[in-house]
Each structure stands twice: as structure tokens, then as C-alpha cells.
Amino acid sequence: MGKYKDLATEIVKNVGGKENINSLTHCITRLRFRLKDESKANDEAIKSMDGVVTLMKSGGQYQVVIGNHVPRVYEDVVEVAGLSDDNANHEEEQQGLFNKFIALMSDVFQPILGALSASGIIKGLVALLGFIIVDFKSSGSYLLLNAIGDGLFTFLPFMIAYSASRKFKLNPVTGLAMAGILLYPSIQKSALEAGDVLGSIPYIGDYYSKFLGIPFIANNYSGSVIPILVIIAFGSIIEKKAKDLVPDVLQGFFVPFFTLIITMPIALLIIGPVISTLTNILMDFFNSVIGISPVLFGLLIGFVWQILVIFGLHWSIIPLGIIAIQANGMDRIMVGQFGASFAQTAAIFAMYLKMTDKKKKALAIPAIISGIFGVTEPAIYGFSLPAKKPFIFSCIGGGISGAIFMLMGGTRYNQGGLGVFGIMNYVNPENGSFIPVLLDIVIAATIGFFLTMFFWKPDEKIEVNTENENNKSLVGTNERIYSPMTGNVLKLSEINDQAFSSEALGKGLAINPTDGKVYSPVDGTVTMLFRTNHAIGITSDKGVEILVHIGMDTVEMDGEGFFAHVKQGDKIKAGDLLIEVDLDKVKLAGYETITPVLVTNYDDLLDLVETDQKEIKAKDDLLTVLF
């Protein structure tokens, strides 16, 4: 179990428990649940969790936005919920046709998007080196690097077969076999030879040979996207029927046999040619629209892109861009959206410069860094969308930059990285130029930055609780925080744990305890109690937020040796017994018992005065908070 076990446990609990989860996937920043009954989920509890940016519902998905560390949170959620890696026992919920399509594209492309991006960056780098270095294209270095960058795209049906097999519950090895048949050299050779005679992209009616008297329509499936997706979906139906009919003792090899022998002739004779033809028609339609007004098309895509991202609807467009590149070696459908992330990031940077709240400024920095690399969810949900105007300004910047980029003839040659890494997608393989994409970034960032600087005013009065229950003013007063344990007092800098010693989690002191009883340091409410009882969060009646973390890494003990006398939500008085811990058991398990006592909302307060005592008894003065 990883470091996010507690967060994972709370997420699983508040989505309605593991029994309410149909399936779970993740993208760059979000956990994407499919729940049996969304009404059983506690939306407000999830939104308020430390470690959760926000919550979104779209396309039949219950999306918990985490941030860049979502893969590690995902691993812990999978373990806590007892999900298999391929999310077995997925039950399809009732959705509209469009929602089903969005969900399908999302589930199929998310697992391979990272590898796609990496390969695209390498392809862009190869194109740039080919322009800069004389005779590079005739060198062994070019051959090797080009193979690394182009290999995934050439055999893209294998990647899609793997992720689609998981989605449709087809045996993944059988799915990979289908992709191998589709890309079999003799099949590809026939398609290419037919193309020489019949044209580069054969349509229905152009055939190269016959199978049992049925015309064998020639198609080159290298780098294709939709045909293998439909074939896998069809093959999963055949496999399910085969499992119903074949005796259990023979299923090991007869189920794959019948699945392949029935699916693939139909795939090569009917599904592949029909889907390829429909794909060509769709591409022709988009190219016609772009041909009518590339500027208007770029303006529209650039303006709405971040809105699409919020609802997960961008997955309806991304596959079209991949198809265009694989079919034509270039794409203009996705060009207009590229500047949107830079407009968003620049708007957040302008907000950062204008904000005076130190806590908010500190949180804005990682959002800006994340945005530079193309991941804008933290910026959108944490800053621009709540502030409204900066989000609109970033959409304007994305729209105008998209229109100008299309006007300059912007063209995408690779399905590569995001943000600054995405520049490599637009390197012209003929002349190595990437000036248009740099201008696109400058235009988008400039508009987003200056509109926010001139037309947004921060409304960020620090909300500090200034009245107690008896309506007595607290301004200019203080609050004593008593020691929750007996032991030796340590500075946080003396703790061998970077999260505590750096004061990233809050300011305060630590206690090396000699007694295992933990008492309440204030009058207040238990606002957080970890399932393992190794840590407790308290909010005092005066608004001070306190975290008592018993021991280092003791979450790994999974509650063994810890006993809580309170539960989350309880009202408590200073000196109430909260938790008892078996210190000997903690030490025997190999963990330190040093207990940090932190004021986590220190930035909202005036000052914090620490005791100068080296030894302290429970319920003695430890810290004094000044308001």
C-alpha cells in the first residue's frame, strides 16, 4: 500500500464504497469512476478532502480531480477497493449514445496516451535534427531514433487492441492476435499493391483478391485507429458466445480458435473496409469545413477547448486528430487548441502577481508549473474557474491564438506531448520550422496575461474566524494549545521527515512521547480521524486547525496498536482522552514514535509562540496562537 492509502480509503468510502464501483481508470490528473448509483456518493465530502482539487461529473463518469500524482493515488484506490487491474466485473450503466461514445474514447486512449505523447516528442525531435544536421537522414542515428519514435504509430492497432480488449472484456492476448492479423505483412502488401493500381486510399468497390468467392477489399491498416476498435468490440461478442457453447474443459484453446476464425474473416472482408471508408468520409468532411474558413474553425476550437476539457468532451476530438495524422501524415483539426493551455497558464501567472494572500500565491506556483507542461486542471479548478473572469480571458486567448495559428498555416505532424513538449508536434519535417507554433504560444499567453492583469481584481479577504460562540471578539487575543502527550519537546527541524521538518504541512513542535495517551490540546471538534487512528485533525472553537500525527510512517501499521476514544465530528474539550497508542508495539515494528503537533492554518493567523521547555507533561502549555 502506498503513501496515499488514507486518501484512497476516504475516496472509496465517499463514492459509496467498493460495492458501488463499476470500474475505475485515471488520466493525467483525474480518477475516473463509473458508479452503479451516483446518488450514493458524498460529493461535498470528496470536494473538501485534502488532496482532492475538485469533483466533476461528465460522460457517465464520476471524476475526482487529484493532480499530477494521480497514478499513485489510483494504485492505492485500486488496492483499497479490491479492484483488479482491468477493472473486472464492470457493469454497464444506462447512458446516452453520446456519453457512451465519449466514455469509450476516454477508456481506450487514456492508457496509451503517455506512450503516444513520448513517441510524438521523439518524432518531432527527429524532424528537427534532420533539418539542423546535414546528412542526418542517411545516418544510422536517424534510422534508430526514427524507429523509436515511429514504431508505436506504425503498430498502433496493437496498442488500441490491448486497451480496447480490457474495455470490452476480451482476452487481451486474443485482441493482440487480431491486431497482428490486421497488420500481417502479406495483407499489408496486398493493400499496398492494390493502392498502386487503384489509388492511395481504396474505397468500397476496390478489391485486390477474393476469399471463398467474396471480394477482398484492400486496405492498409498500419497506424489505423477505428477499425481495430470495432473489430475488438465484435470479437468480444463472439468470444462471449463461444464461452457459452464450448465445454469448460475445452475452453482454453477452442474459445480463442472460434473467436479468431469467425471474427477475422468478417473483419477483413466487411468491418475493416466499411469503417475505413466511413473514416475517410469523416476526414473529408472536416477538411472541407477547414477549407471553407480555417480561421473560424481555429477560433471555435481554441475558445471551447478548455470547456471541453472540464467535461471530458475533448476525447471526442482527440481520436480524429490521430486518425488524420496516420492517414495523411498531418493534422489541422487539433491545431486551434494548442494555445489554450498557454493562455490559461499565463492568466494564472497574472493572478499570482496580483494576489496578496501568501497561501494562495504558494498554491498558484505548482499550478503554473503544471500548466507549462500542458496539465491545466489544477489551474482551472483551483483558480481561474472560481474567479470566472480569468477563465473567460484564457478562452479568449485560446480562441484568438487558434484563429491566427490556422491563418499562418499551422499544421500538426505528430500526436506528441502536451504544453512545451507539444512544440515538437508542429516541427515541419520538410524545413524544420517551428516559428508559427512559437508565435501561437506568445499570442495566447499575451492575451491571457494582459486581459487578466488589466480586468481582474482579486477579491480575497482572508476569512479568519473572529467570533466565538458567545460572540466575543477574538481580534488581538490568543489561544493556548496544550501538549497532547507527555515527553521531550523537539523542533520540527529535528524530525527525520522532510514533510514535517520543512514545515510544508504546518508549523509547530514535536514530542518524543514517554506515555501512549493522547489528549485534546484545545476545545473544539474532531474534523479528521484517519482510519488507522495514527493521526487526528482538530479545529478549535476559535478556528485554529491542529494536526497531531502519532509517530513516523505509522500509517503502515494499519491501526495495529492504536485505539481511538473519539470519532470524527465529536465535540471535545481540552484534556479529553482522544487516542491511546502502544508505544512499545510501534517501536517493535521499527517505527519512530515522535509526534508532530502542527497548526496547519498558520498563514491565516498572526503568529505562533512555542514553549521553551525541553520536557513537557500532557495538558501543559505547548504553543500559543496569536490572532
Side-chain angles (χ1 to χ4, degrees):
M1 188 71 70
K3 63 184 290 187
Y4 297 102
K5 176 183 176 182
D6 293 311
L7 176 60
T9 301
E10 288 301 307
I11 290 174
V12 171
K13 172 185 174 183
N14 285 286
V15 297
K18 59 185 180 182
E19 63 279 359
N20 194 40
I21 300 173
N22 272 335
S23 69
L24 170 65
T25 58
H26 74 87
C27 57
I28 296 176
T29 59
R30 310 180 193 192
L31 295 172
R32 295 172 177 264
F33 290 92
R34 296 193 184 286
L35 303 180
K36 296 176 183 177
D37 184 355
E38 286 192 2
S39 66
K40 293 182 178 179
N42 189 336
D43 297 352
E44 294 305 317
I46 289 176
K47 288 179 182 179
S48 64
M49 287 181 192
D50 287 338
V52 173
V53 177
T54 191
L55 173 68
M56 294 296 301
K57 300 177 185 179
S58 178
Q61 293 182 339
Y62 193 85
Q63 304 172 11
V64 182
V65 184
I66 299 293
N68 297 340
H69 55 287
V70 69
R72 288 175 287 172
V73 178
Y74 168 80
E75 291 174 359
D76 285 353
V77 171
V78 166
E79 189 166 349
V80 168
L83 300 172
S84 62
D85 187 51
D86 58 356
N87 302 311
N89 301 318
H90 170 59
E91 300 174 12
E92 289 293 335
E93 60 275 13
Q94 294 298 318
Q95 301 180 51
L97 186 61
F98 181 70
N99 282 345
K100 286 184 177 180
F101 173 73
I102 296 297
L104 174 63
M105 293 296 103
S106 173
D107 290 346
V108 169
F109 282 96
Q110 280 173 7
I112 65 175
L113 195 58
L116 276 173
S117 297
S119 298
I121 292 171
I122 295 171
K123 287 188 68 175
L125 179 62
V126 169
L128 185 61
L129 292 175
F131 173 73
I132 296 174
I133 302 174
V134 178
D135 298 328
F136 176 72
K137 291 185 177 181
S138 60
S139 68
S141 297
Y142 172 82
L143 178 64
L144 179 61
L145 291 174
N146 190 59
I148 295 172
D150 205 36
L152 185 147
F153 292 98
T154 301
F155 299 102
L156 187 57
F158 278 108
M159 312 304 152
I160 295 175
Y162 170 72
S163 59
S165 294
R166 296 174 63 189
K167 170 66 177 177
F168 290 106
K169 299 180 190 175
L170 174 71
N171 184 320
V173 176
T174 304
L176 291 172
M178 291 177 179
I181 296 166
L182 206 62
L183 298 175
Y184 190 68
S186 295
I187 299 292
Q188 295 296 86
K189 181 175 182 292
S190 298
L192 293 173
E193 289 177 351
D196 290 338
V197 176
L198 304 169
S200 58
I201 305 178
Y203 278 71
I204 290 179
D206 298 334
Y207 65 91
Y208 181 73
S209 187
K210 293 184 178 181
F211 173 79
L212 300 178
I214 304 173
F216 189 152
I217 301 171
N219 277 285
N220 179 7
Y221 296 105
S222 177
S224 62
V225 174
I226 303 299
I228 186 62
L229 186 58
V230 178
I231 291 168
I232 293 295
F234 177 67
S236 69
I237 298 173
I238 302 300
E239 183 185 67
K240 184 178 179 180
K241 295 295 183 183
K243 286 180 178 178
D244 292 338
L245 298 174
V246 176
D248 292 345
V249 70
L250 301 176
Q251 286 197 2
F253 56 90
F254 269 116
V255 167
F257 169 78
F258 285 117
T259 301
L260 291 174
I261 202 68
I262 296 173
T263 300
M264 291 316 296
I266 296 174
L268 291 168
L269 295 173
I270 302 174
I271 296 175
V274 170
I275 294 300
S276 295
T277 299
L278 294 176
T279 300
N280 291 331
I281 293 172
L282 184 63
M283 289 299 100
D284 288 344
F285 169 75
F286 270 96
N287 289 331
S288 298
V289 173
I290 294 172
I292 294 173
S293 179
V295 173
L296 182 60
F297 187 85
L299 177 68
L300 178 63
I301 291 294
F303 184 85
V304 304
W305 186 255
Q306 293 174 92
I307 301 172
L308 296 178
V309 168
I310 289 175
F311 295 102
L313 301 179
H314 59 304
W315 287 107
S316 63
I317 301 176
I318 289 175
L320 297 179
I322 297 174
I323 293 169
I325 291 175
Q326 295 308 111
N328 308 314
M330 50 81 74
D331 163 50
R332 301 203 74 199
I333 296 173
M334 292 279 290
V335 169
Q337 59 80 33
F338 185 67
S341 67
F342 294 96
Q344 176 69 229
T345 305
I348 302 305
F349 182 57
M351 293 179 70
Y352 170 82
L353 295 178
K354 297 188 73 174
M355 286 188 294
T356 57
D357 187 328
K358 293 182 180 179
K359 187 175 182 179
K360 288 186 178 180
K361 288 175 77 76
L363 292 173
I365 293 174
I368 293 169
I369 295 173
S370 179
I372 292 172
F373 297 115
V375 180
T376 55
E377 280 91 339
I380 292 173
Y381 297 126
F383 294 92
S384 67
L385 194 58
K388 296 183 179 64
K389 283 186 178 180
F391 181 77
I392 296 172
F393 296 152
S394 69
C395 290
I396 293 172
I400 294 176
S401 65
I404 296 175
F405 197 14
M406 290 291 285
L407 183 64
M408 292 187 292
T411 304
R412 197 171 65 115
Y413 301 95
N414 297 307
Q415 176 65 37
L418 304 173
V420 293
F421 295 117
I423 293 173
M424 306 305 294
N425 303 340
Y426 297 87
V427 176
N428 190 317
E430 299 296 326
N431 56 27
S433 173
F434 53 89
I435 299 301
V437 70
L438 295 183
L439 291 175
D440 177 58
I441 293 172
V442 171
I443 292 168
T446 299
I447 293 172
F449 178 82
F450 282 107
L451 283 179
T452 305
M453 281 294 291
F454 289 127
F455 298 106
W456 176 74
K457 294 181 180 180
D459 181 16
E460 52 176 22
K461 296 179 181 178
I462 302 175
E463 296 182 2
V464 179
N465 198 355
T466 59
E467 294 187 351
N468 63 11
E469 294 177 349
N470 296 319
N471 202 33
K472 294 179 180 178
S473 174
L474 299 175
V475 178
T477 65
N478 58 59
E479 180 169 22
R480 293 180 179 180
I481 298 175
Y482 303 109
S483 177
M485 303 183 78
T486 297
N488 299 316
V489 179
L490 301 173
K491 297 286 187 182
L492 293 181
S493 59
E494 300 178 66
I495 299 177
N496 187 26
D497 186 292
Q498 183 64 26
F500 293 113
S501 62
S502 66
E503 298 185 339
L505 301 177
K507 294 194 175 186
L509 291 169
I511 300 169
N512 192 2
T514 56
D515 182 82
K517 294 183 178 180
V518 182
Y519 299 93
S520 176
V522 292
D523 295 344
T525 304
V526 177
T527 49
M528 181 272 294
L529 179 63
F530 278 82
R531 178 185 60 83
T532 55
N533 297 328
H534 78 287
I536 186 169
I538 302 164
T539 299
S540 77
D541 290 340
K542 293 183 179 181
V544 180
E545 297 173 6
I546 303 162
L547 172 66
V548 180
H549 192 287
I550 308 167
M552 298 289 104
D553 298 318
T554 44
V555 63
E556 302 294 340
M557 295 186 67
D558 200 29
E560 187 69 24
F562 293 81
F563 178 77
H565 292 271
V566 293
K567 62 182 183 297
Q568 191 164 309
D570 282 356
K571 294 288 291 183
I572 53 177
K573 293 292 184 181
D576 286 352
L577 181 61
L578 304 178
I579 297 171
E580 287 188 83
V581 54
D582 188 334
L583 298 178
D584 291 334
K585 184 171 287 189
V586 173
K587 293 174 183 177
L588 188 62
Y591 299 105
E592 293 185 7
T593 58
I594 294 174
T595 300
V597 182
L598 308 177
V599 174
T600 57
N601 63 335
Y602 170 81
D603 288 339
D604 294 342
L605 308 172
L606 182 61
D607 201 359
L608 187 67
V609 180
E610 303 171 353
T611 182
D612 57 1
Q613 300 296 314
K614 297 300 181 185
E615 296 182 0
I616 197 167
K617 292 181 179 180
K619 307 177 188 178
D620 285 351
D621 290 353
L622 180 69
L623 301 165
T624 301
V625 173
L626 304 182
F627 293 89

